[in-house]
Amino acid sequence: HLHRIWGQVFTFDMTTMGAWVSDLGLSIGQIPVGEKSNEIIAIPKLLRTLQLQGAIVTIDAIGCQKRIAAQIRRQRGEYVLN
């Protein structure tokens, strides 16, 4: 049931951020984080590459930003920011 999956955004290392589908144990996206950038800038870029309709996205404290939550909702996803 790929239309309704739990997922999370996480950092692989200091230069790559990815999206992970917990139910499937599958990485569904990665994006480089520039040396003069950070996760707050990279998360929206990564989210734009994903189909979020019907998905529940979890992001840790770094992603607890109003504009990130609004983007998830615009893409018709749900979120849990913790």
Side-chain angles (χ1 to χ4, degrees), residues 32-73:
V33 178
E35 288 184 31
K36 296 185 180 189
S37 186
N38 62 42
E39 289 95 344
I40 293 173
I41 294 169
I43 290 170
K45 292 178 183 179
L46 177 61
L47 291 174
R48 281 192 294 273
T49 70
L50 304 174
Q51 171 57 267
L52 299 181
Q53 185 171 354
I56 300 171
V57 179
T58 61
I59 305 176
D60 64 12
I62 193 75
C64 291
Q65 306 289 320
K66 289 180 184 178
R67 67 184 183 92
I68 292 172
Q71 179 179 347
I72 293 167
R73 295 298 297 145

Side-chain angles (χ1 to χ4, degrees), residues 8-13 15-20 26-33 42-43 45-50:
Q8 65 182 5
V9 175
F10 63 94
T11 306
F12 286 111
D13 56 34
T15 60
T16 306
M17 174 172 284
W20 178 260
L26 180 67
S27 174
I28 59 169
Q30 297 178 10
I31 190 167
V33 178
I43 290 170
K45 292 178 183 179
L46 177 61
L47 291 174
R48 281 192 294 273
T49 70
L50 304 174

